[in-house]
Structures are given as structure tokens and as C-alpha cells.
Amino acid sequence: MYPQIITYLLTFIKFQEQIIRTLLTLLIGKSMFDKPKDQQPVNKPYRKLQVDDLPIIEIPEKLNYRNLLTEYQEKHGKSLKPVRRHKNAKVSVPKGMKCPKCGAPSDYLYANNGDKGQYQCKVCSCLFSDKNRFSKEAILKCPHCSKTLDKIKERKDFDVFKCKNDDCPYYQKKLNGMSSKEKKQFKKDPQSFKLRYIFRQFHIDFQPLSKNSPELPVVDLSRIYASPHTLGLILTYHVNYGLSARRTAALMQDVHGVAISHQTILNYENSVALLLKPYVDHYPYELSDQFCGDETYIRVNGKWHYLFFFFDAVKKIVLSYRVSPNRDTASAIQAINDVLLKMEEIPENLTFVVDGNQSIF
Ligand SMILES: [Zn+2]
Ligand SMILES: [Zn+2]
């Protein structure tokens, strides 16, 4: 009898111990029972940036909406009218949008299903959406094996296409080129290797990336009451010394006896900034071929914004400083474009150094 009870109690104690351990682990964390390991920083090298060949772009048979409209006229004896829209229709078709198949302008496009971004062309009946309108315009094929690429990811600004062909020479070459150590690593973490041909198709039209039209200042500086000297003083205090507009106004009054409102100071600042920007952008900098870039956050009017900046790593000159409310690819591309615009000729050994954040850079 006794040995049985003792065995039972021992088992029960073990069980209780297990519960206590579990509770403690939950309470304090795993480190309680683990032996402390050396906290060595992990050296995980970034995957090297590779520039791949462009895919083969095949343009499917294109129709011309003008021909289609004439055909319609001949067949029906009347012309095909543009889409009639309800006055208070919630969804509108963007003005510049065209049918990807026949090129019909937005007047002939239905906004098909509410705000989901689907459209239909009245002329050729082609269905398309915001997302696939570019792919309707072209079929993408792998430059190495000529097989059609598969779309594997859709991001906000771009789609990712991949060649999934196992016989693709690109894939075969990469696969056979791996050392046995790399093959082991590949089995554990396939994400860290790029073996297949990949292409990113951006939805961003390049147009907005070209030089933006000059915005005109609120205040015409040639007509202001302040003398150039006073304007210089105001800008020195406000910009160079970073005093707020209100403090600058107070300083102008107290020290120089000039009555000026803080709003006027802000207007001056805005006008000067707009006038100076082209000079800063197009100054004939002598640049090296080494550039660094990163992103950071700044507050604009109390809201966090993203600042994408690039600078010449050798000459220490800031070359782009794009600010965007979103952490988007377009701003990163614009930031790089700002740098490229500053070069008369793009150097052969051009080096851009950025961190490993692939979604952005
Ligand atoms: Zn069409
Ligand atoms: Zn391929």
C-alpha cells in the first residue's frame, strides 16, 4: 500500500513541478531555465543587389478605337455615343485613362464595379482594372527561357513576376553554381537565395517623375515692402539660426524696430524656397560616383512623414530630400531620380549604397 502511495505522490510532485516551471516560463520568460548564451551580434550579410535583364515584352494584337468607331457607324448607321454618366455617380473614370486594348479615351469607359477599380471599354468590350491594365498592354516573358512569367506578388506600387520554369537556364545555372554549404543553407532558408528570374513591374507612370512644373510663390518678392537687407536678416534668423517665425518677428521688432507679422515671415520663406529650389537642384555640382541614401522620419505640421534622402558619399553634398506622407516606392524612386538628374553623364562605376530594405529600395 505505502509504496503505491509514495509512487503516486512522487508522480504528482513531478507534475506540479512541471506546472510551476510552465507558469514561471510564462511569467519570466524562457531565459530562466536556458543557459545564458553569449549575446553575439548576428552577422547576416545582405543579399547582393543584382540587376537582371529586362523581360521580353510581347505586345498583343492592338485595336484602334477610331477604326472600331467607323466600323460601328457603317454597320449601325449611327455613331457610338460616349458613356452617359449619372450626374451624381459615385465612381468616376480618371480623365487620362485609356482602354489598354483599343486606346479609347475615358469618355468611352464604364467604371464597372463601384470603387474596386474595374473598367470596361464601350468600344471593344475589353474588361480591365487599375491593377492589370498594364499587363493587358503587354505579356512578359523570361529573357532566359522565353516562358511567360507568373505574377507572384501584388504590392501597392508594383507587381512581382517570376519565371517558374524548372528548365530555365537562369535557374539551372544558379542551382548548379551553389556550393554544398549554400545548398544546406538553401534547404533551411530558401528565402535568402534568389535562384529564379524575377521582374518587378511598376505601376507608376514615369511622367510624374520628370521635373515638376514650377509652382509660383504666394508672395511676389519683387513687390514686398521689406528691403533686400531686411529680407536677408529675416531669413538669417528664421532659416540659418532656426528661430520660429514668431520669435523672428519679435526679434525684428525688439532689436531692429521693424514691425512684421509672423505670417509675413512664413510667406517670405515660402517664396524664397520656391525661387531657390531650381538653383539648388541645378547647381553644377562636381559629384563623385559614390552615393548613399536612406529614409528617416520627420514631423510636418504635426504628422509623421518619410524623408528619403541621398547624398554624395565622397563630396558630402545632399542631393535629394523627398518628403512623403507615405513610405512608398514612388518617393524612393523619385529620390534616386533627383540624384541622376544632377549628373550630366551617368558615371560607369555608379554606386548607390542603401540598406537592405527591398520593399523600398
Ligand atoms: Zn477598348
Ligand atoms: Zn526562365
Side-chain angles (χ1 to χ4, degrees):
M1 188 70 188
Y2 276 129
Q4 264 183 338
I5 285 175
I6 287 170
T7 318
Y8 171 75
L9 284 177
L10 274 175
T11 321
F12 192 69
I13 287 168
K14 272 208 167 154
F15 174 66
Q16 277 180 323
E17 193 198 331
Q18 194 62 47
I19 288 179
I20 290 166
R21 268 172 168 263
T22 311
L23 287 174
L24 272 175
T25 310
L26 284 175
L27 210 67
I28 304 166
K30 248 170 83 185
S31 56
M32 173 96 186
F33 303 104
D34 289 347
K35 277 184 197 143
K37 281 183 212 143
D38 291 72
Q39 291 279 320
Q40 285 284 328
V42 191
N43 180 14
K44 203 179 170 192
Y46 287 131
R47 195 166 72 193
K48 290 269 184 304
L49 182 75
Q50 300 164 341
V51 180
D52 280 327
D53 297 335
L54 281 173
I56 305 167
I57 301 168
E58 263 191 19
I59 313 285
E61 180 216 0
K62 278 251 177 185
L63 301 166
N64 184 332
Y65 78 98
R66 288 204 187 86
N67 297 345
L68 293 176
L69 287 177
T70 328
E71 271 171 36
Y72 185 94
Q73 170 101 33
E74 279 164 9
K75 203 173 163 192
H76 297 88
K78 57 176 184 184
S79 62
L80 183 70
K81 297 245 161 36
V83 177
R84 278 217 294 170
R85 296 191 208 284
H86 291 288
K87 260 189 196 154
N88 37 15
K90 275 186 201 145
V91 205
S92 63
V93 179
K95 261 262 149 17
M97 185 170 273
K98 282 183 186 158
C99 166
K101 200 168 175 192
C102 74
S106 62
D107 293 347
Y108 288 98
L109 303 179
Y110 297 105
N112 221 16
N113 67 338
D115 51 357
K116 294 237 173 68
Q118 275 223 1
Y119 305 96
Q120 185 165 27
C121 173
K122 193 176 174 182
V123 186
C124 73
S125 322
C126 166
L127 265 171
F128 64 102
S129 73
D130 259 347
K131 285 201 179 110
N132 74 3
R133 85 183 152 112
F134 295 95
S135 53
K136 286 259 169 174
E137 284 174 21
I139 298 165
L140 299 171
K141 293 188 168 180
C142 172
H144 303 279
C145 68
S146 313
K147 288 265 180 340
T148 306
L149 300 175
D150 286 334
K151 192 196 277 181
I152 54 161
K153 246 178 239 166
E154 283 185 8
R155 295 252 175 101
K156 192 172 139 268
D157 293 321
F158 56 87
D159 295 336
V160 183
F161 290 81
K162 193 180 204 174
C163 172
K164 288 194 172 168
N165 176 16
D166 284 343
D167 299 326
C168 177
Y170 181 97
Y171 174 63
Q172 287 294 336
K173 197 176 152 215
K174 292 268 171 163
L175 197 66
N176 295 331
M178 282 202 290
S179 64
S180 54
K181 199 178 152 200
E182 283 171 331
K183 277 183 187 158
K184 264 189 204 160
Q185 175 72 22
F186 176 64
K187 275 202 179 135
K188 265 198 276 172
D189 181 20
Q191 291 294 318
S192 62
F193 289 85
K194 176 177 172 273
L195 294 185
R196 294 180 187 271
Y197 175 78
I198 282 173
F199 174 68
R200 291 172 183 211
Q201 187 181 43
F202 287 87
H203 307 152
I204 312 155
D205 289 326
F206 201 66
Q207 195 50 39
L209 300 185
S210 65
K211 283 174 205 166
N212 297 331
S213 62
E215 254 183 83
L216 286 178
V218 199
V219 172
D220 181 354
L221 285 180
S222 64
R223 288 162 183 268
I224 59 173
Y225 291 112
S227 69
H229 176 71
T230 311
L231 178 64
L233 277 178
I234 290 168
L235 292 173
T236 305
Y237 294 141
H238 182 48
V239 180
N240 297 40
Y241 284 84
L243 294 181
S244 70
R246 282 174 200 278
R247 283 185 168 223
T248 307
L251 189 69
M252 290 306 291
Q253 177 71 63
D254 296 347
V255 179
H256 302 283
V258 178
I260 191 160
S261 76
H262 76 277
Q263 187 55 53
T264 307
I265 290 173
L266 291 174
N267 293 345
Y268 286 178
E269 180 193 28
N270 176 271
S271 303
V272 171
L274 287 172
L275 289 172
L276 278 183
K277 190 175 187 304
Y279 291 97
V280 176
D281 286 349
H282 303 298
Y283 185 84
Y285 298 105
E286 279 177 27
L287 301 175
S288 75
D289 51 10
Q290 310 284 314
F291 302 97
C292 280
D294 206 352
E295 46 167 82
T296 186
Y297 325 91
I298 52 165
R299 281 184 93 89
V300 179
N301 291 334
K303 280 199 179 132
W304 283 109
H305 280 59
Y306 296 88
L307 172 67
F308 299 87
F309 63 93
F310 272 92
F311 61 95
D312 188 314
V314 181
K315 303 279 176 85
K316 310 278 186 271
I317 301 169
V318 176
L319 297 168
S320 62
Y321 41 87
R322 287 270 164 189
V323 177
S324 164
N326 307 310
R327 189 158 173 255
D328 52 359
T329 315
S331 306
I333 295 177
Q334 279 174 331
I336 294 177
N337 194 53
D338 287 345
V339 178
L340 296 177
L341 283 175
K342 291 191 175 61
M343 298 174 197
E344 265 176 46
E345 228 176 280
I346 294 178
E348 275 196 10
N349 298 328
L350 180 71
T351 311
F352 270 108
V353 181
V354 293
D355 63 18
N357 190 333
Q358 290 188 13
S359 67
I360 298 298
F361 287 116

